[in-house]
Amino acid sequence: MSTHLAERLRRLRADAGLTQEDVAERATTWGLSWKPATVSAIEGEQRALTVPELLLLPVIIGLPLVEIVAPGDGMIELAPGLVLDGSTVRRLIQSVETWDTATPFGSRVEPPGPPAEAQALEAERQAARKLGVHIHQVLDASMWLWGQSLTAQRNVETAREVEARGGELEGRRLQALRGHVTRRLLAAIEGALQSGAVPVLAGVVRGPDGKIPLPGLEEPLSIAGGKIHPSMLANLLSRSGDAEQSAARALGVGISEIAALSMSLWGGTLSEQIERELRLEPIAPDASARRRQAAREEVVRRLVDALRREMNGRVAMEEAADVLGWPSSMLAKLSLKLWGRFLPDERDRIVAQHDDADGNLDDLRTEITRQLMEELAAEIRRGQGVDASEDQD
């Protein structure tokens, strides 16, 4: 029995204020040999429903079968390895049509085949426990990011990395690699869930190439002080890796923030920018592994510093927006007009000229920020036809 239906029955019973004894009594009234232990086994995925039991659920629970099984458009695991969106499951329940037995759900949904010894979607179950969310949130995020389950994506990426290592990887080394890949993918799922974008595109219809539709139809999200379309964020998160995880930890933010900031700075992911800059590094072809690692660490450090400056700059612009009552985007344009750069960059430029100054640089930075905000306020007043010398109530 699928996790989805077991959890759905458990939730519906609790919402209706019914005990397992109540449900067993109702089932017995309609000729089913249920005991409270039977209900417990069904809700615990230890016993599957028979066809008669499934058909009688509406008179036991008090809801239409379609509402019991597929109330929304989220992804539903019908069998190990077979995940369908809610609308397709509803069609299955309500249909009177003839189905194509070869590709009933379209070319992108392949038959999972016989269950493997290790139960399919175990990665999703572990991910849900680790993140403290429902397994179907993990499924939705996986479909949003990669167009397939976390388990399937892990297998694809693990196979790719094994091939990159010469195809000779077994036992503990293979297990360690699979764990590394899973952690990387899990970080992308966590970022997707934290962004709040997954419900926007859960169950989205992808193109023939499996890609998410281009931005434009969905409302943009506010992330890291800027705007980004959910489909673009999904694309970035699906291309993120270890570098994004490390940067998120270093800066104390989520991976979705790192993805949004990277897109703003470089038009792609941090991982991609690292590789681009390494290709420009003057490293000899015969350089030692230590030399190459040192070069990579320097590039990463430089780029993470750029992310930190961008993040701090956005925070400063948001603070200025709160104080001055203008949108941060308008203040950014005004900053460019006044100084040819954003307020945080102008502040840092002035601070750099006072490196030999006595006292606390943090105090100096605060004072310069205050002065620059006064300049912005004066420019706003001039634009509104208010004399800058007038007293402000």
Side-chain angles (χ1 to χ4, degrees):
M1 180 173 176
S2 74
T3 302
H4 166 79
L5 187 52
E7 293 180 349
R8 180 76 179 144
L9 290 174
R10 184 165 55 247
R11 189 180 308 116
L12 289 173
R13 179 180 58 77
D15 291 346
L18 299 174
T19 65
Q20 292 179 340
E21 289 79 3
D22 295 332
V23 173
E25 184 177 346
R26 288 186 181 184
T28 303
T29 300
W30 293 103
L32 300 178
S33 300
W34 281 17
K35 298 180 174 60
T38 310
V39 180
S40 177
I42 292 171
E43 293 181 349
E45 300 180 65
Q46 298 171 351
R47 180 188 181 283
L49 288 169
T50 65
V51 172
E53 289 171 340
L54 182 65
L55 294 176
L56 284 172
L57 279 181
V59 298
I60 297 173
I61 303 298
L63 289 173
L65 183 59
V66 68
E67 291 298 321
I68 295 174
V69 178
D73 291 331
M75 307 309 294
I76 298 172
E77 177 199 1
L78 285 189
L82 178 60
V83 181
L84 302 175
D85 61 86
S87 61
T88 301
V89 176
R90 287 197 296 277
R91 280 182 56 216
L92 278 172
I93 297 172
Q94 298 172 326
S95 71
V96 292
E97 63 196 271
T98 300
W99 287 73
D100 175 5
T101 58
T103 56
F105 311 119
S107 58
R108 285 194 54 77
V109 180
E110 297 183 1
E117 289 185 13
Q119 188 178 21
L121 299 184
E122 181 57 28
E124 279 79 1
R125 303 180 202 285
Q126 293 180 2
R129 287 195 292 269
K130 183 176 179 62
L131 298 178
V133 299
H134 195 283
I135 186 173
H136 300 291
Q137 291 177 269
V138 176
L139 287 169
D140 283 344
S142 301
M143 296 299 293
W144 184 64
L145 289 167
W146 305 295
Q148 58 186 353
S149 69
L150 170 62
T151 300
Q153 185 67 18
R154 179 199 62 188
N155 294 342
V156 167
E157 296 203 14
T158 299
R160 186 184 301 140
E161 297 212 13
V162 168
E163 183 178 356
R165 288 164 168 74
E168 298 293 335
L169 212 59
E170 298 178 350
R172 291 185 178 180
R173 294 180 63 194
L174 178 59
Q175 185 177 0
L177 175 61
R178 185 181 291 112
H180 174 74
V181 170
T182 301
R183 286 190 295 274
R184 186 175 67 219
L185 299 179
L186 184 59
I189 288 176
E190 184 174 17
L193 292 175
Q194 289 174 347
S195 74
V198 174
V200 177
L201 290 180
V204 69
V205 177
R206 294 169 178 256
D209 57 358
K211 293 182 179 178
I212 294 174
L214 292 175
L217 298 180
E218 73 271 16
E219 288 295 321
L221 300 166
S222 296
I223 294 180
K227 298 288 187 180
I228 186 169
H229 283 89
S231 52
M232 176 62 73
L233 180 62
N235 187 289
L236 293 170
L237 288 172
S238 68
R239 289 151 47 197
S240 298
D242 295 338
E244 282 75 10
Q245 286 183 266
S246 298
R249 287 194 295 268
L251 299 181
V253 297
I255 291 180
S256 57
E257 280 82 359
I258 298 298
L261 291 169
S262 299
M263 183 64 189
S264 174
L265 286 171
W266 307 301
T269 68
L270 172 61
S271 295
E272 292 163 349
Q273 186 63 18
I274 290 171
E275 297 306 319
R276 278 195 291 268
E277 298 208 7
L278 281 174
R279 287 194 292 270
L280 300 175
E281 287 288 310
I283 304 175
D286 58 348
S288 66
R290 179 175 296 180
R291 170 73 181 90
R292 292 180 181 278
Q293 181 62 25
R296 173 175 287 275
E297 290 175 356
E298 173 57 25
V299 167
V300 171
R301 183 196 63 75
R302 188 168 66 239
L303 295 180
V304 171
D305 283 345
L307 288 171
R308 181 181 287 107
R309 288 194 300 272
E310 177 71 11
M311 184 173 69
N312 291 340
R314 292 189 180 194
V315 170
M317 293 306 296
E318 288 294 333
E319 291 175 350
D322 290 340
V323 171
L324 300 176
W326 267 41
S328 57
S329 58
M330 296 297 294
L331 291 180
K333 293 178 181 178
L334 200 57
S335 299
L336 291 174
K337 175 185 174 183
L338 286 174
W339 310 303
R341 56 182 65 84
F342 297 126
L343 183 150
D345 298 326
E346 177 67 6
R347 176 198 61 197
D348 293 344
R349 183 189 69 80
I350 297 175
V351 169
Q353 298 174 350
H354 293 76
D355 283 346
D356 57 346
D358 295 331
N360 191 313
L361 279 180
D362 288 338
D363 292 340
L364 176 62
R365 186 177 290 106
T366 300
E367 174 59 23
I368 292 173
T369 299
R370 185 189 63 77
Q371 294 173 5
L372 294 177
M373 288 178 61
E374 287 182 354
E375 291 184 35
L376 283 174
E379 185 66 19
I380 292 173
R381 288 194 294 269
R382 280 193 291 272
Q384 295 175 336
V386 179
D387 190 337
S389 63
E390 292 181 9
D391 292 334
Q392 300 297 309
D393 294 333

